[in-house]
Amino acid sequence: MAGYNLEAIEAAPLKEDVDIVIPTIRSLDFLEQWRPFLKHYHLIIVQDGDPSINIRVPEGYDYELYNRNDINRILGPRANCISYKDGGCRCFGFMVSKKKYIYTIDDDCFVAKDPSGKEINVIAQHIKNLETPSTPHYFNTLYDPFRDGTDFVRGYPFSLREGVTTAISHGLWLNIPDYDAPTQLVKPRERNIRYVDAVMTIPKGVLYPMCGMNLAFNRELIGPAMYFGLMGEGQPISRYDDMWAGWAAKVVCDHLGFGVKTGLPYVWHSKASNPFVNLKKEHKGLHWQEEMVPFFQNLRLSKESDTAAKCYMELSKMTKEKLTEVDPYFENLADAMVAWIEAWEELNPPVDGKDVKAK
């Protein structure tokens, strides 16, 4: 693999380029275990639920903490686009960040170990994934050709070997798998013990179920499309916040010519949520996903949509036109998508009047 110094990427913390976004309803004692890997980085903590509850953050961390009162103050009438009592509230942290990269993690995830027993530096691996190209147009059977010890295989077109800029790095989890409620109920004791030492590009035109608990992305390229929907209290659906963001962001990446990787790094997911509670939150989504997924598979964005923000505004119109017939909820979601982009652009005006456009 030529042209990419992965040792330099791993050695450099890139602390000026990365924000860590954590949604939570509790004190963040889990950060004690993460200290060797996250202590250099700025944290953006989004407190969900009751804003009067005091959230304790371990000493030594540099952080900002936002609760619902702060969201209401900063966004004003557009604050309703940020989910309440749902992990989707994390996207407020994406909006107020000013860094190039975002890493978001759930507060029940801990440092995992590779098969040799070495603790995994998730930031280093995510940055490797994001700083090296993706190959969405032709599948490489040795997976990511930009990792050490591998390359493009025989038969891979030289015209495609430059790859495309990576916008999203989707990490995985050991121990508790990210299952829906019906699968949890059928397999209550199942644990993911398989460590697969691989990173791969998700091909263009292929969707995937994005999980927000161990996720990194290039905020400058795809940030406006990383909206985690309108979920939680007052809404008929929950636990589909990251799914919605993943489907939308993948379609936008495909349209703009960016890539999405999945695989390494792993975290240790420590706690299984209650499947009966999850079923109440998910039951509409379990039906609606049979309509939502084909919607994303079949939509085509116009050439005029040449930035992530423009793509998302066009997607909001398509959502209202096509999905409202599934349920009136989607009209409210489409309106929230517009409010999200308006708020994003107010807090993040384009530099020198420019925005990141398609390649």
Side-chain angles (χ1 to χ4, degrees):
M1 192 212 82
Y4 294 90
N5 186 343
L6 296 189
E7 290 185 1
I9 292 173
E10 185 160 9
L14 292 181
K15 65 180 181 179
E16 301 304 321
D17 295 320
V18 180
D19 270 338
I20 314 295
V21 175
I22 306 169
T24 193
I25 58 171
R26 60 182 63 86
S27 291
L28 298 179
D29 298 327
F30 88 115
L31 287 172
E32 291 290 1
Q33 198 210 18
W34 282 103
R35 192 179 293 277
F37 302 108
L38 300 187
K39 64 183 178 182
H40 299 294
Y41 297 95
H42 177 68
L43 310 183
I44 299 177
I45 301 163
V46 183
Q47 179 179 350
D48 198 13
D50 185 352
S52 68
I53 294 175
N54 182 49
I55 299 293
R56 191 186 76 82
V57 181
E59 290 186 9
Y61 277 100
D62 173 38
Y63 69 93
E64 304 167 60
L65 192 153
Y66 297 93
N67 60 33
R68 195 71 203 186
N69 293 336
D70 300 312
I71 294 172
N72 292 337
R73 172 178 53 82
I74 293 168
L75 298 187
R78 299 191 184 101
N80 287 338
C81 75
I82 303 299
S83 297
Y84 182 61
K85 294 190 176 180
D86 184 272
C89 67
R90 78 181 74 219
C91 63
F92 177 78
F94 309 161
M95 183 185 289
V96 297
S97 170
K98 303 302 176 188
K99 302 290 180 64
K100 179 178 181 180
Y101 295 124
I102 294 288
Y103 174 60
T104 184
I105 184 174
D106 284 3
D107 61 12
D108 60 352
C109 292
F110 292 84
V111 179
K113 295 181 179 180
D114 67 20
S116 73
K118 180 181 178 181
E119 291 189 328
I120 297 167
N121 185 338
V122 293
I123 300 294
Q125 181 63 55
H126 275 301
I127 294 299
K128 285 181 183 180
N129 294 346
L130 291 167
E131 293 269 292
T132 54
S134 294
T135 53
H137 301 293
Y138 196 88
F139 189 78
N140 190 51
T141 52
L142 279 181
Y143 309 124
D144 189 347
F146 297 97
R147 292 189 69 199
D148 288 335
T150 188
D151 213 318
F152 293 99
V153 299
R154 181 171 58 89
Y156 202 103
F158 282 86
S159 60
L160 296 177
R161 294 191 182 194
E162 183 178 345
V164 304
T165 303
T166 303
I168 300 173
S169 173
H170 178 254
L172 298 175
W173 353 266
L174 294 171
N175 195 36
I176 305 296
D178 186 30
Y179 285 162
D180 54 35
T183 308
Q184 282 183 290
L185 289 167
V186 172
K187 298 181 174 181
R189 294 184 177 85
E190 185 156 290
R191 300 293 181 265
N192 181 31
I193 60 173
R194 296 191 314 131
Y195 180 97
V196 180
D197 187 11
V199 177
M200 61 189 74
T201 297
I202 300 173
K204 182 177 181 179
V206 176
L207 298 178
Y208 72 111
M210 188 183 82
C211 173
M213 75 173 78
N214 175 24
L215 176 72
F217 62 93
N218 186 320
R219 182 181 175 278
E220 295 176 355
L221 296 182
I222 203 67
M226 273 291 182
Y227 175 49
F228 275 51
L230 190 62
M231 310 275 164
E233 185 170 278
Q235 306 302 328
I237 184 174
S238 191
R239 280 177 56 83
Y240 273 83
D241 52 313
D242 44 5
M243 298 296 113
W244 181 266
W247 296 327
K250 181 58 165 62
V251 167
V252 173
C253 282
D254 286 351
H255 177 73
L256 296 179
F258 304 134
V260 178
K261 293 181 181 179
T262 187
L264 301 179
Y266 283 88
V267 294
W268 182 267
H269 186 205
S270 66
K271 185 177 67 174
S273 50
N274 187 311
F276 297 101
V277 173
N278 289 346
L279 189 58
K280 291 180 181 179
K281 294 179 178 180
E282 292 175 358
H283 73 279
K284 287 188 180 292
L286 296 171
H287 294 286
W288 291 350
Q289 68 187 7
E290 305 304 322
E291 304 289 342
M292 289 188 285
V293 170
F295 164 74
F296 282 107
Q297 287 174 325
N298 294 318
L299 70 82
R300 297 294 180 268
L301 296 166
S302 66
K303 63 180 181 180
E304 288 75 24
S305 293
D306 57 0
T307 68
K310 290 179 181 178
C311 287
Y312 210 70
M313 287 296 277
E314 185 176 2
L315 180 57
S316 72
K317 296 176 183 177
M318 294 178 175
T319 298
K320 182 169 287 191
E321 291 170 2
K322 301 294 185 181
L323 290 179
T324 300
E325 62 189 41
V326 176
D327 191 271
Y329 158 77
F330 288 98
E331 183 170 3
N332 295 331
L333 173 58
D335 291 340
M337 294 165 71
V338 173
W340 161 261
I341 292 298
E342 290 174 346
W344 182 284
E345 292 183 332
E346 183 174 331
L347 293 179
N348 300 278
V351 179
D352 298 326
K354 298 180 180 179
D355 203 351
V356 179
K357 294 190 175 183
K359 301 293 184 182

